[in-house]
Amino acid sequence: MSHRQSALGRPSSGKKRLKDLLVQRDNRLCADCDQQILSISMLEVLCCPQENLGTHISRVLSVTLDEWSEEEIDAMMEVGGNASANSIYEAYFPEGVKKPRPDAPHEERTKYIRSKYELQEFLKPSLRIKSGGPSSKQSLQASLSGKKMNEKQGSMDNKVPSKNANGVPEFIGMLKVRVLKGTNLAIRDMLSSDPYIILTLGQQKVQTSVVTSNLNPIWNEELDLCVPHDYSSIKLQVYDHDMFSADDIMGEAEIDIQPMITSALAFGDAGMFSDMQIGKWLKSYDNALIEDSTVNIVDGKVKQDLWLRLQNVESGEIELELEWTPL
């Protein structure tokens, strides 16, 4: 029996595994320019083949037309696609460098692709490898696969947060959330609302003060959340405070903190680096971001500004600032 026949005979074929990967949110657009995807290369999902890089840098495979080996499929599945790979390949953008738009000229996209993969200009310096042959590409891809596998193993090992001798859950860090302001919030009383915000992470809940009769409240308050090993997204909910009845919901949003924490852990001690961008949470149709949110080292601290459009409500925006402190 041929390799292809044996693969087709399995409950989950290689092509199906790849297609399942493509429908994931972060893999619907090109890793390099956010255009419609066509191919997969260097463990990322891409819109246009990159043959000009040479096979010692990148081998391009079509999801539908090319045959994939089991090793290639396993490597792709281990990394998980664009979000994980770009947290490495685009960890650091030098000043003045921007990701090309889908309608950017071919020359601009080619220059960006060479800078990203061949010259490795956006990698954390300690991960840069000379591209002198196949071993360099394999080494870098091994770093990516190893990173993803370590994350998977950590997640499996920490489904229940570890506890110390006193039975208290151990945490990996502290997240300081500065709730800045709201804009154009929904009316829930006669002419206005009395808004406040609740943030939920696991079993933790923290709350801002109530701002009376204001659809454009300014809080500028800091709320602290401990982040466990098995952290999930933060749920943000806005409520209208009522004196004599249940508080009315004024919208909600989910905050994905993985890009920030993954980037922060990859760089380690932020105090050793000058100001720079180290990660990014990308806007998409199925999250609450109004624009892409970058993770930056600022004055030796890892910070992220968020501009969110509230969901399941007629109107409303919230602005936040996150600051990560490892434990």
Side-chain angles (χ1 to χ4, degrees):
M1 183 179 291
S2 69
H3 171 77
R4 183 175 181 178
Q5 289 173 324
S6 62
L8 290 173
R10 295 175 183 172
S12 178
S13 69
K15 284 292 176 68
K16 183 180 184 302
R17 292 166 67 197
L18 287 175
K19 288 180 180 179
D20 289 343
L21 189 65
L22 286 178
V23 301
Q24 294 181 14
R25 182 179 67 190
D26 296 319
N27 296 333
R28 295 169 188 162
L29 298 175
C30 173
D32 298 329
C33 69
D34 295 335
Q35 198 174 37
Q36 181 182 3
I37 61 93
L38 291 175
S39 307
I40 293 182
S41 173
M42 290 288 287
L43 305 181
E44 289 183 313
V45 186
L46 309 170
C47 69
C48 48
Q50 302 171 346
E51 288 93 344
N52 292 336
L53 287 180
T55 56
H56 66 293
I57 300 295
S58 173
R59 181 182 172 216
V60 177
L61 294 174
S62 167
V63 180
T64 56
L65 300 178
D66 290 326
E67 289 295 327
W68 288 62
S69 70
E70 287 299 313
E71 291 76 14
E72 290 164 340
I73 294 172
D74 289 343
M76 189 69 195
M77 300 302 293
E78 285 173 4
V79 172
N82 290 348
S84 181
N86 274 345
S87 70
I88 300 295
Y89 282 107
E90 296 179 352
Y92 164 63
F93 277 150
E95 186 175 353
V97 174
K98 293 183 178 180
K99 198 167 188 171
R101 296 173 58 85
D103 57 355
H106 177 74
E107 295 76 13
E108 181 181 339
R109 287 196 286 174
T110 299
K111 180 180 178 181
Y112 178 84
I113 288 167
R114 284 194 174 277
S115 297
K116 178 176 178 179
Y117 299 111
E118 184 174 12
L119 303 178
Q120 302 170 13
E121 292 179 351
F122 314 142
L123 278 172
K124 182 181 176 182
S126 62
L127 291 179
R128 292 175 185 167
I129 307 169
K130 284 188 176 182
S131 56
S135 60
S136 63
K137 182 182 75 172
Q138 292 166 359
S139 297
L140 187 52
Q141 291 182 349
S143 298
L144 284 163
S145 298
K147 174 180 178 291
K148 185 68 178 182
M149 288 301 291
N150 288 338
E151 290 174 357
K152 283 184 178 180
Q153 186 61 47
S155 175
M156 292 176 62
D157 291 343
N158 294 294
K159 286 185 178 179
V160 178
S162 56
K163 298 182 179 181
N164 60 22
N166 297 321
V168 179
E170 293 181 352
F171 302 96
I172 60 174
M174 179 74 71
L175 198 60
K176 181 183 293 182
V177 183
R178 179 179 289 275
V179 182
L180 300 176
K181 64 179 182 178
T183 304
N184 193 29
L185 299 185
I187 297 175
R188 287 295 180 266
D189 297 329
M190 289 295 293
L191 298 174
S192 187
S193 295
D194 304 321
Y196 65 94
I197 289 178
I198 293 179
L199 300 177
T200 304
L201 177 60
Q203 297 180 351
Q204 303 171 75
K205 284 192 177 184
V206 290
Q207 177 181 325
T208 68
S209 61
V210 176
V211 180
T212 58
S213 301
N214 200 326
L215 300 181
N216 298 285
I218 296 176
W219 283 283
N220 200 26
E221 296 180 14
E222 289 185 358
L223 305 175
D224 293 331
L225 291 166
C226 295
V227 180
H229 292 281
D230 62 340
Y231 63 87
S232 57
S233 297
I234 295 174
K235 186 172 183 179
L236 180 150
Q237 296 172 299
V238 184
Y239 284 93
D240 169 49
H241 177 66
D242 288 320
M243 290 291 292
F244 305 107
S245 62
D247 293 351
D248 299 315
I249 187 74
M250 297 174 61
E252 59 190 1
E254 283 205 2
I255 303 171
D256 184 0
I257 59 176
Q258 182 177 6
M260 182 183 210
I261 295 176
T262 300
S263 301
L265 295 180
F267 272 75
D269 184 2
M272 298 177 62
F273 298 91
S274 58
D275 291 0
M276 66 172 73
Q277 177 185 324
I278 63 172
K280 183 184 291 188
W281 179 23
L282 297 176
K283 170 190 172 183
S284 71
Y285 76 92
D286 55 355
N287 65 33
L289 284 178
I290 294 176
E291 61 184 17
D292 291 348
S293 173
T294 59
V295 181
N296 302 288
I297 294 178
V298 180
D299 296 331
K301 298 178 181 179
V302 178
K303 295 186 176 183
Q304 182 177 8
D305 293 330
L306 298 173
W307 187 14
L308 305 173
R309 178 175 290 110
L310 294 174
Q311 299 176 316
N312 303 318
V313 70
E314 56 268 31
S315 65
E317 300 172 3
I318 298 292
E319 293 182 42
L320 309 169
E321 180 185 87
L322 308 183
E323 182 179 324
W324 169 254
T325 302
L327 297 180

